[in-house]
Amino acid sequence: MEQVLKGQASFVARDIPGAIAAFQEAIKLDPARMLGFYRLGEAMLESGNLTEAETAWTTALGKKGTDELQAKVLFCLADLRERQKNWQGTKDAWGAYATFLTSNPKAGGYPATAAERQKQVDRRIKDEKDYAAVKERIVQREAERQKEAEENAKKDKLNR
């Protein structure tokens, strides 16, 4: 716990590498606890290392911790998948979060958030599908403009 507190102090002081080192040390000292992995995931996310954050949180799910902490880890994983634009993974992760909260009402999570995020993901998937043709036309027009500009540049050189 001392290492977790040290890591937390470093994290708050914006010393992310120091926080990561402290959380890793906490995990070495007590690898069976969820808290060190959860906090390591947060520090990794803050450092921009999404892959390591995902690894830490996924590992945390298999460790001992409170229902409240497990709900937080599930929330973080769902949010991370949304940041990665992994839409099906996002829907599944929000579903896992909602299911966990239903099974563990004392976890203190926000079940309405999961339903709302799933709606937003569905909307995003629909929008991407609807706008695919538009994006294709934009790319095609840009290529035509580029080709025309190159041809005009050649003509301009010949006229000099």
Side-chain angles (χ1 to χ4, degrees), residues 2-156:
E2 184 178 314
Q3 287 298 317
V4 171
L5 292 174
K6 181 179 176 185
Q8 179 63 23
S10 296
F11 188 85
V12 170
R14 309 301 303 150
D15 175 15
I16 304 304
I20 290 170
F23 294 136
Q24 287 172 334
E25 186 62 31
I27 290 168
K28 285 179 190 172
L29 294 173
D30 193 359
R33 298 264 178 217
M34 185 183 286
L35 183 60
F37 289 99
Y38 167 68
R39 297 300 293 148
L40 177 62
E42 286 187 327
M44 289 296 185
L45 179 67
E46 187 65 27
S47 73
N49 194 338
L50 303 183
T51 305
E52 290 296 321
E54 182 175 11
T55 300
W57 287 327
T58 302
T59 305
L61 291 176
K63 305 298 178 179
K64 287 188 277 182
T66 64
D67 287 347
E68 183 179 300
L69 186 55
Q70 183 150 352
K72 287 179 181 182
V73 171
L74 288 168
F75 185 97
C76 288
L77 278 169
D79 177 64
L80 178 68
R81 298 236 163 70
E82 198 165 336
R83 290 172 190 245
Q84 294 170 329
K85 296 182 170 126
N86 174 354
W87 302 129
Q88 189 56 51
T90 299
K91 287 179 67 172
D92 294 344
W94 283 120
Y97 174 71
T99 301
F100 181 80
L101 293 179
T102 302
S103 305
N104 302 284
K106 293 182 181 180
Y110 304 99
T113 299
E116 181 60 30
R117 296 312 311 152
Q118 285 177 322
K119 282 186 212 173
Q120 293 300 322
V121 168
D122 286 339
R123 192 193 95 239
R124 180 69 185 251
I125 290 169
K126 181 186 176 304
D127 287 350
E128 284 185 4
K129 183 180 175 187
D130 291 347
Y131 294 130
V134 173
K135 288 179 182 179
E136 188 177 310
R137 283 196 309 264
I138 290 170
V139 169
Q140 184 179 12
R141 287 180 185 161
E142 187 61 35
E144 289 170 0
R145 285 187 192 130
Q146 182 66 26
K147 185 178 177 182
E148 184 180 340
E150 289 171 2
E151 289 173 5
N152 287 339
K154 286 179 186 177
K155 290 178 185 175
D156 199 32

